[in-house]
Amino acid sequence: QVQLVESGGGLVQAGGSLRLSCAASGRTFSNNAMGWFRQAPGKEREFVATISWSGRNTRYADSVKGRFTISRDNAKNTVYLQMNSLKPEDTASYYCAATQAYIGSSSPAEYNNWGQGTQVTVSS
């Protein structure tokens, strides 16, 4: 079991930036692909980005490609989501998740450990 704790959310104006962090503890973190998902009120949880266990493979949702960057520091057991050029439609609760696979997918069902989420609000 991997325990995940997100931080870094907050209120930001459109065009601004935030960096989310997800600290992992428990069993080995470096063997897990990690993902970021988000969920807005009344909407389903949607894929944002994923990074492989090594950090060499990343994938993004089309809606965030070119604006968001996922990265990880296995020495610190932490995965990051740098969010630039934020838009009001990025407003959501953001969750990090771990999968037992070496390379992550865009499906929430493939992830078996989830954090509690951190709120990101982008004002227009």
Side-chain angles (χ1 to χ4, degrees):
Q1 188 87 354
V2 176
Q3 289 78 44
L4 305 172
V5 179
E6 303 95 335
S7 62
L11 173 63
V12 64
Q13 288 189 331
S17 298
L18 283 173
R19 187 175 83 153
L20 306 183
S21 299
C22 174
S25 61
R27 66 175 177 84
T28 304
F29 166 81
S30 59
N31 290 342
N32 299 91
M34 301 292 294
W36 284 98
F37 293 79
R38 66 187 182 186
Q39 188 167 17
K43 295 189 176 181
E44 291 188 354
R45 190 165 296 190
E46 66 171 356
F47 168 73
V48 175
T50 185
I51 188 166
S52 65
W53 69 277
S54 66
R56 285 194 284 267
N57 301 95
T58 59
R59 187 150 56 106
Y60 299 90
D62 288 342
S63 58
V64 307
K65 203 171 293 183
R67 300 188 297 122
F68 291 11
T69 302
I70 189 170
S71 61
R72 66 189 296 161
D73 185 339
N74 286 344
K76 295 182 178 179
N77 287 349
T78 302
V79 63
Y80 305 97
L81 185 69
Q82 177 67 44
M83 305 186 295
N84 299 329
S85 302
L86 283 161
K87 305 176 181 179
E89 51 263 44
D90 294 318
T91 295
S93 292
Y94 283 71
Y95 300 86
C96 72
T99 172
Q100 293 182 339
Y102 290 145
I103 295 178
S105 80
S106 60
S107 170
E110 298 296 320
Y111 295 78
N112 52 349
N113 291 102
W114 292 84
Q116 299 282 66
T118 185
Q119 178 66 35
V120 171
T121 303
V122 184
S123 63
S124 57

